[in-house]
Amino acid sequence: MGRIRVRRWVRRLSSAAAALLVCAAALWFACPPPLAQAARYPAGLLLRDRTGRVLRVCLGPDDQDCRPSYRASLDDWIAQAVIAAEDRRFLSHHGVDLLAVARAAAQNVAAGRRLSGASTLTMQTVRLIRPHRRTWLWKAVESVQALRLERAWSKEEILSQYLNRAPFGSNLVGVEAASWGWFGKPPQQLNLGEAALLAGLLQSPTRFRPDRYPAAARRRRAYVLARLCERGLITPAARDEAAASALELRRAPRPFLEPFFCDWAQGRSRAASGDRRTTLDPAVQEAAARLVARTAQAHNVDAAAVVVDVRAAAVRALACSGDYFARPDGQVNTAAAPRPAGSTLKPFAYALALDRGQLTPRRTLADVPRRFGDLAPANFSGGFMGPVPAREALILSLNLPAVEVVERAGLSRFYLTLRQLGLDGLDRPAEHYGLGLALGNGSARLTELACAYACLARGGLWRPLRAFEDDPAGEPRRVFSEGACWLVSDMLSGDERSLAALGHRADAALPRAAWKTGTSAGFRDAWTLLWTPDTVVAVWCGFKSGRRGPDSLVGVRIAAPLAWDLARQLMPAGGAPGFVRPDDVCERPVCTVSGLPPGPHCPRTVNDWALRQRTACEPCTVHVADPAGGGTRERWPPAV
């Protein structure tokens, strides 16, 4: 009878063991480690410049300050203190500490209630990644996931996850936010006492919060220091010195640098959270901000500047004058606000006409009084120059020739070209603007214009601006030919042009660059766009309120000097590459008067640039035979 009972018990135990093994196996395969969830943190967007300096920390869910960028190193005091206080066998166990389980079980049975737990740092990490209720079932799941997590990650990776997620009092989540929030320094620079204080907070972030309960925080710090000493990580003398040190908190506000750029970049971020490195170059930004502030103060205006890396389509600087927190309009981002474009759109009209074969640099345009429907444009000077070469008309920003160019190319086609260049401020149909679109009666943002002029600098390929280093390069689209872009850049560059406009400022050697100014009606906006094959410098001056400015608020007087001062800092003389003439640009003889290929009666010719297989070849019609005098005379349209 005894043997039968033994056999029954053996069979029962065997069945129970088999069932346990089956359950354990099922649990093992049913509970993979939460690797996918580990990539998501309770954080907002964290913006850095190109060098890694933090510019802005946005709060995450429930207004938590979480900056999950710490990479654990066993050489850091904070890593050693957390291991000593929370899981002294962390480096040796495999996710579950069986000795701690046995100890906790014995204590809880002896006390008749739950006195202590046996959660390892790995198990706590699982719980932080995937929060859940504290039940026996979840404890089993947590243990299995911890075991599997140890097989997937190194100890440093697990500790990094834990320290980037653990709460440290107030709204500080993760050791990076805690270290800056409580002590104003990165975790790697925490001294022994500071690291022990933060490690002590983990048991109860509220009860040991140092700004509210300093005595409790000191006692907990002493406990962590004692654990470090027991493990032989510090000497008794170091323990006593750190325990006796004053509780010095240096709470640091969240970084809030370069607010105008960060506002713009944050609006372009694909994700609402994450640690993202922007394209902002701190050296370029510092130069832009300093010169913008100087110009704004000298002329008592608001000012903004944008610098674009042409090849990378990346914004290296975005600076606006004024106090961001000033009322009522301090936070108006003048680099991103739509403003009347003035003459800044004219180069695109000329590039379009060049591509359509309707124009060459020496082609004569008529700067004479004309009406275009209800539009009767006049020049900024109030006068007219009569027949004028296209190059001179563009340099002098004459209005009548610009309207004529758009009329020839077609208003709808010009409007579509501007939209292809990313000028989204033109949000009404082409007919709403009419031919006045050539004169800037539409609106544009400084960032949009910088991007559009980068298209000219890039040889006709438009790409969207990038605000983040990890953003993919936008798919390029061709708007103009290389030849048309080179011709426009060549027309708007040259030392004599800079000297004529800038006077003594051009005495010092300047980088080889093309540039275009603009002034909106009522002297409300002054613009300058300056570009080389590598860099675009875009400048705006005016008033945030949009009010009328003084007569001196003109692009060439205020905006151009700022653009050139910035260009001189970024591109020392000789440091900027010149524009290389593409293969589709050729030379041909033209009549010196009309700029068209010479006819039989043209007395003199000169060489001019043209686009191969694009530029029209009709001969000059200005010079005709004079039957009365037996020679040649000029025949112009009646308006001329």
Side-chain angles (χ1 to χ4, degrees):
M1 222 29 209
R3 290 181 179 179
I4 294 174
R5 289 177 180 169
V6 169
R7 288 175 183 169
R8 285 177 180 171
W9 276 107
V10 169
R11 283 197 297 270
R12 289 173 181 172
L13 290 174
S14 299
S15 299
L20 284 174
L21 285 174
V22 170
C23 289
L27 200 60
W28 178 270
F29 290 106
C31 301
L35 301 181
Q37 297 95 319
R40 297 189 292 270
Y41 291 89
L45 194 62
L46 189 149
L47 302 178
R48 301 179 185 270
D49 66 19
R50 292 186 77 198
T51 66
R53 178 185 60 155
V54 176
L55 299 174
R56 176 177 292 185
V57 176
C58 304
L59 296 179
D62 301 321
D63 290 336
Q64 296 179 106
D65 183 354
C66 178
R67 314 177 196 180
S69 57
Y70 177 66
R71 298 296 175 263
S73 169
L74 298 180
D75 294 328
D76 294 343
W77 278 125
I78 184 62
Q80 297 183 42
V82 167
I83 292 172
E86 296 291 318
D87 186 1
R88 61 178 180 170
R89 282 184 289 274
F90 172 69
L91 299 177
S92 59
H93 65 63
H94 298 289
V96 176
D97 189 347
L98 297 178
L99 291 176
V101 171
R103 172 189 54 78
Q107 289 178 348
N108 294 338
V109 168
R113 59 188 177 88
R114 189 178 187 278
L115 275 183
S116 64
S119 291
T120 62
L121 281 174
T122 312
M123 295 167 68
Q124 292 181 57
T125 301
V126 168
R127 193 183 312 138
L128 288 170
I129 294 174
R130 188 183 179 188
H132 51 260
R133 293 177 297 169
R134 294 195 177 189
T135 63
W136 286 111
L137 175 60
W138 274 112
K139 196 71 173 178
V141 171
E142 186 181 289
S143 300
V144 171
Q145 289 188 324
L147 290 169
R148 296 193 64 178
L149 194 63
E150 290 270 353
R151 294 166 64 91
W153 285 348
S154 68
K155 291 290 185 179
E156 288 81 2
E157 289 174 313
I158 293 171
L159 190 57
S160 297
Q161 274 284 333
Y162 176 77
L163 286 172
N164 280 320
R165 294 177 179 277
F168 285 88
S170 185
N171 67 334
L172 304 173
V173 175
V175 71
E176 189 79 27
S179 184
W180 283 102
W182 291 119
F183 299 111
K185 63 175 69 172
Q188 295 84 354
Q189 296 179 15
L190 293 171
N191 62 36
L192 175 59
E194 293 165 343
L197 181 73
L198 290 187
L201 269 170
L202 293 170
Q203 187 186 70
S204 178
T206 301
R207 188 154 48 97
F208 297 123
R209 182 168 163 167
D211 59 339
R212 294 183 179 176
Y213 309 106
R218 280 194 292 268
R219 287 194 298 271
R220 183 63 183 172
R221 179 181 67 178
Y223 167 80
V224 176
L225 291 168
R227 296 293 293 267
L228 283 165
C229 189
E230 289 171 11
R231 293 191 62 206
L233 297 173
I234 60 174
T235 64
R239 174 199 62 197
D240 296 341
E241 181 182 357
S245 63
L247 203 64
E248 295 183 2
L249 302 177
R250 293 178 294 277
R251 301 212 65 174
R254 292 191 307 278
F256 198 81
L257 304 176
E258 311 302 349
F260 294 105
F261 171 81
C262 287
D263 282 354
W264 177 78
Q266 190 173 346
R268 299 173 69 88
S269 178
R270 302 186 309 272
S273 63
D275 190 337
R276 305 206 65 190
R277 188 164 297 216
T278 70
T279 58
L280 191 76
D281 186 307
V284 179
Q285 176 70 13
E286 188 278 330
R290 175 168 43 81
L291 293 172
V292 162
R294 188 180 74 181
T295 297
Q297 183 176 16
H299 297 281
N300 195 28
V301 296
D302 297 312
V306 174
V307 179
V308 172
D309 181 332
V310 171
R311 302 183 195 282
V315 174
R316 299 302 184 204
L318 188 156
C320 301
S321 63
D323 180 2
Y324 183 82
F325 296 103
R327 293 181 179 275
D329 53 9
Q331 295 180 30
V332 173
N333 190 333
T334 48
R339 308 288 300 194
S343 297
T344 59
L345 306 184
K346 290 176 181 175
F348 307 123
Y350 279 70
L352 177 61
L354 286 163
D355 262 339
R356 291 181 56 76
Q358 300 167 333
L359 202 63
T360 62
R362 289 186 175 272
R363 175 72 180 269
T364 298
L365 299 173
D367 182 36
V368 296
R370 283 184 61 192
R371 294 193 67 88
F372 300 86
D374 295 333
L375 181 66
N379 290 318
F380 182 79
S381 65
F384 300 92
M385 297 185 65
V388 60
R391 180 178 188 272
E392 190 173 351
L394 180 57
I395 289 175
L396 297 177
S397 202
L398 300 178
N399 287 338
L400 272 299
V403 175
E404 180 185 348
V405 167
V406 171
E407 185 182 44
R408 287 185 188 178
L411 173 61
S412 297
R413 189 174 287 109
F414 178 52
Y415 173 81
L416 179 61
T417 299
L418 296 179
R419 293 287 297 178
Q420 288 177 327
L421 289 167
L423 299 183
D424 295 333
L426 302 175
D427 54 0
R428 298 191 180 187
E431 294 73 21
H432 170 80
Y433 304 102
L435 290 174
L437 189 58
L439 311 182
N441 66 358
S443 295
R445 298 173 175 85
L446 189 62
T447 50
E448 293 175 347
L449 286 174
C451 185
Y453 275 82
C455 175
L456 290 178
R458 205 179 288 120
L461 288 175
W462 183 88
R463 288 170 56 192
L465 291 182
R466 293 169 55 240
F468 299 95
E469 291 287 348
D470 61 351
D471 274 351
E475 189 67 28
R477 63 170 176 252
R478 180 157 293 285
V479 181
F480 304 115
S481 70
E482 288 187 71
C485 293
W486 182 84
L487 288 170
V488 169
S489 299
D490 183 68
M491 285 192 280
L492 291 173
S493 61
D495 292 340
E496 77 286 351
R497 168 165 153 71
S498 303
L499 183 61
L502 301 177
H504 70 279
R505 286 177 175 269
D507 292 344
L510 294 171
R512 173 77 177 184
W515 56 291
K516 180 71 182 75
T517 62
T519 305
S520 67
F523 303 101
R524 287 176 169 82
D525 307 274
W527 306 85
T528 293
L529 283 299
L530 181 152
W531 70 101
T532 73
D534 284 343
T535 305
V536 171
V537 175
V539 166
W540 169 89
C541 297
F543 298 96
K544 291 184 177 181
S545 63
R547 67 179 174 86
R548 181 186 178 93
D551 292 352
S552 60
L553 188 60
V554 178
V556 73
R557 296 180 190 171
I558 294 181
L562 170 55
W564 277 108
D565 285 345
L566 184 52
R568 195 181 279 118
Q569 296 237 349
L570 303 180
M571 302 171 284
F579 298 100
V580 178
R581 179 164 61 92
D583 294 337
D584 60 339
V585 176
C586 61
E587 275 190 301
R588 69 175 186 178
V590 297
C591 172
T592 56
V593 175
S594 67
L596 292 168
H601 305 292
C602 294
R604 289 181 301 276
T605 64
V606 66
N607 283 341
D608 188 19
W609 299 117
L611 293 181
R612 206 183 307 273
Q613 296 181 346
R614 284 179 183 260
T615 304
C617 298
E618 71 271 14
C620 173
T621 57
V622 170
H623 292 101
V624 297
D626 184 3
T632 300
R633 66 182 179 87
E634 294 182 4
R635 182 178 62 189
W636 294 95
V640 177

